[in-house]
Amino acid sequence: MKRKKDLSSHLKAVKETSGDRRASSRSRKWLKRAAWAFAIYLVLGFLVLPPIIRAVAVKQVAKELNREVSIEKLRLNPLAFSVAIGGLKIKDPDAETLLAWDEVYVNFEVSS
């Protein structure tokens, strides 16, 4: 009788630890997924999107203003939610510089 009791308590302990392992495995999977998502977010934000945004911004601003527009450098910081535009120039129809900034910094961070 005692042996049967020992066996059932052992089986119960095995079931509990295997459940803990499954929960731990699930949390590790979610942690890996979150780490990959964050890494992709950083690569997109720092490396992929800035040249695309720069090209689209130059085209759209030039189209809206009917002026020649140039941007030398655009830096996007997805962690600080900010954009730094370097070498922004807008020219008038005579190809003279109408407006120029060395750097324009925009911070999209919500503050209270």
Side-chain angles (χ1 to χ4, degrees):
M1 185 74 146
K2 185 175 181 178
R3 187 173 198 156
K4 188 176 183 181
K5 196 175 192 180
D6 289 341
L7 183 60
S8 65
S9 65
H10 178 70
L11 288 175
K12 189 176 181 181
V14 167
K15 281 184 183 179
E16 288 174 3
T17 57
S18 67
D20 290 344
R21 272 191 239 135
R22 274 187 264 139
S24 176
S25 175
R26 269 188 250 133
S27 64
R28 266 190 257 127
K29 283 182 185 178
W30 280 106
L31 185 60
K32 283 182 184 178
R33 289 178 184 160
W36 273 108
F38 187 66
I40 290 168
Y41 172 75
L42 291 177
V43 168
L44 285 174
F46 281 113
L47 302 175
V48 176
L49 288 178
I52 295 169
I53 292 171
R54 181 178 161 263
V56 170
V58 166
K59 282 182 186 177
Q60 291 298 316
V61 173
K63 181 181 170 184
E64 289 294 319
L65 298 176
N66 293 323
R67 307 262 194 252
E68 184 182 335
V69 176
S70 66
I71 296 175
E72 289 178 18
K73 187 180 358 179
L74 187 134
R75 286 176 297 163
L76 184 67
N77 187 337
L79 298 176
F81 300 112
S82 64
V83 177
I85 302 168
L88 176 64
K89 291 181 185 172
I90 301 173
K91 295 186 177 187
D92 64 9
D94 300 329
E96 295 292 322
T97 301
L98 176 69
L99 188 63
W101 280 293
D102 288 334
E103 184 170 81
V104 177
Y105 180 79
V106 180
N107 188 351
F108 296 105
E109 188 174 342
V110 178
S111 59
S112 53

